[in-house]
Amino acid sequence: EIVLTQSPGTLSLSPGERATLSCRASQSVSSNSLAWYQQKPGQAPRLLIYGASTRATGIPDRFSGSGSGTDFTLTISRLEPEDLAVFYCQQYGSSPYTFGQGTKLDIK
Amino acid sequence: QVQLQESGPGLVKPSETLSLTCTVSGGSISTYYWSWIRQPPGKGLEWIGYIYSSGNTHYSPSLKSRVTISVDTSKNQFSLRLNSVTSEDTAVYYCARDQRSTSCYDFWGQGILVTVSS
């Protein structure tokens, strides 16, 4: 089973700043099968990025993904107050599909 | 726009069976994979398993001995059964659609909280 470790656990930034979230896998993720989700309080997760770097339908270009192998990054440029959420990475390259423990993004 | 809606009991007794149904609207259940994912209160996400519209299934090894996922294409629904539940199974259960050609999830239900308690 691939274990995903996200860092930092919590990130506190101001509107307009850039957020950089990390996801590290315990072994290489097959075919860069890595997704990022945003979960706002009381809501279901929303798909942001798949294939490590492809934005899902309707996702603004403030959100970008990068990385390969075992190290992946989600970058949110120009933070907005509504970006407050927990962000999860997920690998779907090998079963069982696994999620990271999440990074909580606080907007000051 | 595809919509998913979970339904079922919100309270299940220990050792009994948790049963949930996901109703898909705004699109056909055919030719897609459909998954169940759960989230214990205040914790992260756990993949449970998926089913293809033809009925083929694949489950998480940690739950495989207790899980059954089934599909009813005539009703555009798929279902989850988890038997011999304990308090560790208390969670929000989500149904979701696998994005075509991947196993990440582009449409989600709102989630249903299932509490295991006597």
Side-chain angles (χ1 to χ4, degrees), chain A residues 35 37 39 42-47 49-51 56-57 88 90-92 95-101, chain B residues 37 39 43-47 50 58-61 94 98-99 101-106 108-111:
Chain A
Y37 299 86
Q39 186 175 33
Q43 296 185 16
R46 176 176 71 146
L47 178 65
I49 301 286
Y50 63 93
T57 302
Y88 294 96
Q90 177 221 355
Q91 70 80 22
Y92 52 92
S95 177
Y97 307 133
T98 51
F99 294 85
Q101 83 281 14
Chain B
I37 297 142
Q39 184 172 36
K43 295 188 178 181
L45 299 159
E46 179 183 19
W47 172 68
Y50 67 64
H58 184 56
Y59 303 133
S60 171
Y94 293 101
D98 291 32
Q99 180 173 256
S101 302
T102 75
S103 288
C104 57
Y105 314 109
D106 57 359
W108 296 65
Q110 65 186 24

Side-chain angles (χ1 to χ4, degrees), chain B residues 28-98:
Chain B
S28 173
I29 204 168
S30 298
T31 72
Y32 277 95
Y33 289 82
W34 304 89
S35 293
W36 288 98
I37 297 142
R38 69 181 183 178
Q39 184 172 36
K43 295 188 178 181
L45 299 159
E46 179 183 19
W47 172 68
I48 298 171
Y50 67 64
I51 189 165
Y52 187 60
S53 51
S54 64
N56 292 339
T57 56
H58 184 56
Y59 303 133
S60 171
S62 66
L63 296 169
K64 185 175 183 178
S65 63
R66 299 193 291 130
V67 170
T68 302
I69 299 176
S70 58
V71 65
D72 186 339
T73 54
S74 68
K75 294 182 179 178
N76 238 31
Q77 294 177 334
F78 63 105
S79 299
L80 169 71
R81 288 174 59 87
L82 180 66
N83 58 34
S84 304
V85 297
T86 72
S87 59
E88 300 289 302
D89 296 310
T90 293
V92 175
Y93 286 76
Y94 293 101
C95 59
R97 189 184 83 169
D98 291 32

Side-chain angles (χ1 to χ4, degrees), chain A residues 9 15 22 29 31-32 38-39 41 45 50 56-57 64-65 77 93-95 98 107:
Chain A
S22 173
V29 175
S31 302
N32 288 339
Q38 177 189 46
Q39 186 175 33
Y50 63 93
T57 302
S64 63
S77 62
S94 61
S95 177
T98 51
I107 308 297

